[in-house]
Amino acid sequence: MANQPVQSRKTESFLIQVSLLDYLHVAVGTDVGLVRRHQEDAVGWRVATDPRVLAHKGAIFVLADGMGGHAAGEIASQMAVDRIVTAYYQDPVIGITDSLRHALDRASQSIYVENRRANLGGRARMGTTTTAVVLRGHELYVAHVGDSRAYLIRDRHIQQLTEDHSWVQEQVRRGILSPREARAHPRRHVITRSLGQRAQANADYYPVRHIERGDVVLLCSDGLTAYLSDKEICQVVSQVHPEKSVVYLLDAANQRGGNDNASLMVMKLEGPSLACVRTQIESWFRGGNS
């Protein structure tokens, strides 16, 4: 028993007011899994406390899955999350997509510089996938590199918003492999893009989307999608609240093998529940609407 890895899980949930009557219900979870001893996934977010900044920049959520061997992967993923969140709000550019691009470039450059130092010191190179979203009111912006994913679940239908930058996805695009074959292929974990490969991020930036009350935005690492299909993820998220969704999905990944770290962020746009209304009323009485 002493040689078995210790499972470690962290979860958190909170509410964000995005308009007068709408709230974003957020739940976040990371799990080491049943085999690995280190957590190479990282998650991070920031919600501006200044209403003027929040109106211009919105709230940012970032998920990263690092790679590079012992310690290197967790350093790369945490570096990416920290750099992106900080650089996004520091960027003076008004456009959200441009600010995301500058933030991912800043993160990739930082990891790239560390990799050059690693080469000189004989240490392993590192990199990380990154999926970042910004929610401003009912607007959704997505930036992505690697094989972590962003999904939109609406009316019990799921849509993958990002395209995997992986060897098997390239074969699927060319018609060489079917999606089913890709899921079981021995090279399914080989990614073709990551932050840190070069100084400038080779990322995808997607057109802005409008989200509606009841929509769920979900970010996750491949430690989840390796074990659960899109349909299964959709069924869970559509039936239970974000906190329970996170627990159920992480449990399912472990029950089916748990060979990798698994992380996810679930964000549901909701109307004013009793708790939300109580929070708003208390804010008014404290002068929070001034």
Side-chain angles (χ1 to χ4, degrees), residues 4-191:
Q4 292 189 6
V6 178
Q7 180 180 343
S8 177
R9 177 177 296 182
K10 296 179 181 179
T11 60
E12 187 170 349
S13 63
F14 49 94
L15 294 172
I16 302 170
Q17 187 173 5
V18 297
S19 67
L20 183 62
L21 293 177
D22 288 332
Y23 287 77
L24 195 66
H25 187 173
V26 182
V28 182
T30 62
D31 197 297
V32 171
L34 303 179
V35 176
R36 299 194 177 186
R37 294 183 177 274
H38 299 278
Q39 177 59 271
E40 295 189 332
D41 292 354
V43 295
W45 59 90
R46 185 173 298 175
V47 183
T49 55
D50 185 332
R52 293 168 299 181
V53 176
L54 185 62
H56 286 293
K57 290 282 192 178
I60 187 168
F61 303 86
V62 186
L63 183 147
D65 180 0
M67 64 207 75
H70 177 66
E74 57 189 288
I75 292 172
S77 60
Q78 193 61 58
M79 185 182 295
V81 168
D82 292 343
R83 296 289 193 280
I84 290 169
V85 169
T86 300
Y88 174 75
Y89 281 110
Q90 289 179 343
D91 192 76
V93 174
I94 295 176
I96 288 180
T97 299
D98 287 337
S99 289
L100 277 171
R101 181 178 288 108
H102 297 160
L104 265 70
D105 283 346
R106 181 78 61 85
S108 193
Q109 183 178 33
S110 296
I111 299 170
Y112 179 77
V113 169
E114 286 299 315
N115 276 331
R116 296 191 67 178
R117 292 174 182 167
N119 286 341
L120 293 175
R123 291 178 283 124
R125 291 175 61 86
M126 61 184 179
T128 184
T129 73
T130 298
T131 302
V133 301
V134 170
L135 284 156
R136 183 178 68 176
H138 288 212
E139 296 174 342
L140 172 67
Y141 299 80
V142 182
H144 167 73
V145 57
D147 64 351
S148 297
R149 293 180 179 177
Y151 289 99
L152 176 65
I153 297 97
R154 173 180 291 170
D155 297 328
R156 296 181 179 269
H157 295 283
I158 188 169
Q159 179 184 6
Q160 184 177 333
L161 301 179
T162 54
E163 183 174 4
D164 294 353
H165 300 141
S166 65
W167 184 88
V168 292
Q169 182 58 37
E170 289 185 356
Q171 308 314 304
V172 170
R173 195 182 308 117
R174 296 171 183 170
I176 298 172
L177 292 176
S178 69
R180 186 168 188 171
E181 290 170 331
R183 285 179 62 86
H185 198 279
R187 298 192 67 187
R188 63 188 179 276
H189 298 301
V190 177
I191 67 171

